[in-house]
Amino acid sequence: METNIKWAELGFGYVKTDYNIRSEFRDGRWSEPEVHDSEYIPMHMAATCLHYGQEAFEGLKAFRGKDGRVRIFRMVENARRMIRSAEYTQMVAPDEELFCRACVEAVRRNERFVPPYGTGASLYIRPTLVGTSAQVGVKPATEFLFVVFVSPVGPYFKEGFRPISVIIERHHDRAAPLGTGKVKVGGNYAASLISGEQAKAAGYSNVLYLDAKEKRYIDECGAANFFAIRDGAYITPKSSSILPSITNMTLRELAADFGLRVEEREVEFSEMSSFEEAGTCGTAAVVSPIGKVFDPDEGRTYVVGDGESAGPWTVRLYDALRAIQFGDAPDPRGWNTVLFNEE
Ligand code: PLP
Ligand code: COI
């Protein structure tokens, strides 16, 4: 059955689809994944996720190719990251096999919502893990729910692939140096809302966080990693409080393929004025060039490149990533899981 979605006009938001996939951990084991058509989750009011934020989530995408097939990008990496998030928050994670099976099933069941090739849109997959045991004491749950829902999405930033303006954040931290920043848990996003809303109200697309301890190094950019290009190098921050981005991991490999030197290291904010190109990267953000960086404490705006257009390496990285995701280029490292492959 067709949908009446205007694919090319989609933004990044929730669109109701037909089914979601759920599995419950109880009595020491995960149930077989079940297909549900309700968008609601019945839950005890004392569930640990509601009070103590015992929650982790993932974000990945499925893309329809010219050949009509659907490709899910680097799904196993998301499964591994959810396992790390669950470990930090003392939850039992679905193993890689269950995680991947549930994601594939969620995409298959909602195939009519995978946007057509050429629209630029994709199907966002949101696996979510929560503690569901009724408890008041601050201790880990013994029961968990794993749910995977999907939503067709368009660009994360209204600018699309045009350079965005970001604002430096020195007055709120999203995560502490030895805290939860390196895992994908809901609390990090709750902690980032105030910065995000203030940035938006001031006319910026995103926040650029500096490191929580010294405010000396670049951390990450809202819900995306930061990268820059200078003197033939792809430079990206190494920090204990940023999320290890699967998109960034991919770009590092592509950058090396292109002959760029890859530097994953502490990146001083003072380097900003020397960057030839800068950008953000993530599943939602894809690759988004940064044109301007406003530092409100210094009252200074850094213009990256000409500030108005994406630089050549950023374009090349974006094109290469999209070509693999949509199946337009070979996938020599086997990043895609191809569905509807049967003859
Ligand atoms: N950093 C944060 C805080 C994020 O929420 C995300 C999104 O998942 C990223 C970076 C990018 O990670 P990935 O490329 O794995 O989507
Ligand atoms: C993603 O890129 O998958 C994210 O999780 C970003 C965001 C919408 C939270």
Side-chain angles (χ1 to χ4, degrees), residues 173-189:
D173 298 317
R174 65 178 281 283
L178 300 178
T180 53
K182 60 185 168 300
V183 291
K184 200 162 171 67
V185 300
N188 294 344
Y189 298 81

Side-chain angles (χ1 to χ4, degrees), residues 81 174 184 189 220 222-225 243 245-247 281-283:
R81 194 167 62 190
R174 65 178 281 283
K184 200 162 171 67
Y189 298 81
E220 63 183 330
N225 276 183
L243 190 75
S245 155
I246 295 159
T247 313
C281 61
T283 298

